[in-house]
Amino acid sequence: MSTMDFFTAMEVSASGLSAERTRMNVAASNLANAQTTQAAGGGPYKRRDVVMQSVDVPGVQGTPFAQAVKGVAVSQISQDTAQPRLEYDPGHPQANAQGYVAYPNVNPVEEMVDMITASRAYEAGITTMTTAVNMAERALGIGR
Amino acid sequence: MSIAPITPPMSPELAGITGVTGIERPTAKPDLAGTFRAALEDAHGAEHRATDAAEQFARGDTGMGIHEVVIASEKANIAIRYATTLKNKALEAYRELMNTQV
């Protein structure tokens, strides 16, 4: 796509949108599992965190600016190693010998903040995209 | 009766000018057909990708989000309009030349 350098900004924004969508998914997972005491592999659910990584933008390799312009991608979804929250509830089936139940290390307030951040970042990405599209449309309208 | 021959302008500033040098004709002609073909191919490819994205989304492909579909169709829109704009400009230039009064 030699003629379409306008698409570079769109590609970068699109990668950001995908990354924010993943972050939203992770926040939803953490919120939904805030009370999960039995996760796969035993123990309570562990809070997930996204790790972002800058990546080359597809389609701009070979141009002088290929190294300068970067998209973003989620490189991995890590598990928070913080200790689980212990609550005293001897009647709970997952209670230990002392009567404590290990609840996930998820703080719903923190997750809400993450969610809103992801939502705002998504909006910012959409705004970038819209601006890039508007610029392309303006360029197509030169002389008209 | 004699008619005076036409003489070059005698203003002192113009006396030394005999011709224009230093301008080279471009050897490689810009090829409108090639540019237009490339634009059309771009548009064709973008439209294909947009259709593929929409199909994948409709199939429920997990890697295909809403924004990917919309972005693909927006790219196709821009690529097609670019090709159309090139076509319009070329036609406009052609008509302009054909309407030259002789």
Side-chain angles (χ1 to χ4, degrees):
Chain A
M1 298 288 262
S2 55
T3 52
M4 296 291 162
D5 198 30
F6 273 113
F7 287 166
T8 306
M10 294 178 73
E11 292 280 357
V12 173
S13 308
S15 72
L17 293 185
S18 297
E20 293 308 329
R21 190 187 54 196
T22 308
R23 204 139 73 98
M24 179 69 217
N25 290 348
V26 167
S29 161
N30 288 341
L31 275 173
N33 284 292
Q35 304 294 326
T36 304
T37 53
Q38 200 172 22
Y45 172 87
K46 287 194 179 64
R47 181 175 173 273
R48 262 66 164 172
D49 223 342
V50 288
V51 181
M52 305 257 197
Q53 186 186 29
S54 68
V55 291
D56 288 337
V57 186
V60 296
Q61 279 87 358
T63 72
F65 304 120
Q67 292 303 309
V69 177
K70 295 284 183 190
V72 66
V74 173
S75 66
Q76 67 170 48
I77 294 176
S78 64
Q79 293 195 3
D80 196 330
T81 52
Q83 288 302 305
R85 181 164 48 88
L86 292 175
E87 265 180 37
Y88 186 67
D89 185 2
H92 197 282
Q94 259 90 44
N96 63 10
Q98 287 77 41
Y100 283 95
V101 183
Y103 278 97
N105 51 0
V106 174
N107 181 356
V109 178
E110 213 176 285
E111 299 310 320
M112 291 301 285
V113 171
D114 258 11
M115 195 184 78
I116 291 167
T117 314
S119 159
R120 293 283 180 253
Y122 197 89
E123 277 176 34
I126 298 262
T127 306
T128 316
M129 176 81 67
T130 311
T131 310
V133 170
N134 282 344
M135 280 172 71
E137 281 177 357
R138 290 296 184 89
L140 286 174
I142 287 174
R144 233 187 291 150
Chain B
M1 176 185 171
S2 64
I3 298 172
I6 299 173
T7 54
M10 279 299 113
S11 122
E13 288 88 359
L14 299 178
I17 295 177
T18 51
V20 181
T21 55
I23 295 178
E24 287 174 22
R25 283 182 174 277
T27 44
K29 279 187 278 183
D31 188 358
L32 179 68
T35 315
F36 186 54
R37 180 181 297 275
L40 265 187
E41 277 166 6
D42 277 356
H44 183 69
E47 215 209 320
H48 256 282
R49 278 191 291 280
T51 316
D52 285 352
E55 272 176 16
Q56 280 181 37
F57 182 69
R59 276 203 304 267
D61 202 321
T62 47
M64 189 55 64
I66 305 172
H67 67 257
E68 274 107 339
V69 181
V70 178
I71 288 167
S73 64
E74 191 56 49
K75 277 185 187 168
N77 181 17
I78 291 175
I80 288 167
R81 281 179 52 191
Y82 174 64
T84 320
T85 306
L86 275 187
K87 185 263 301 175
N88 288 342
K89 294 280 178 202
L91 265 185
E92 211 176 284
Y94 173 74
R95 290 217 185 92
E96 198 70 41
L97 286 177
M98 290 311 283
N99 287 336
T100 310
Q101 298 287 325
V102 284

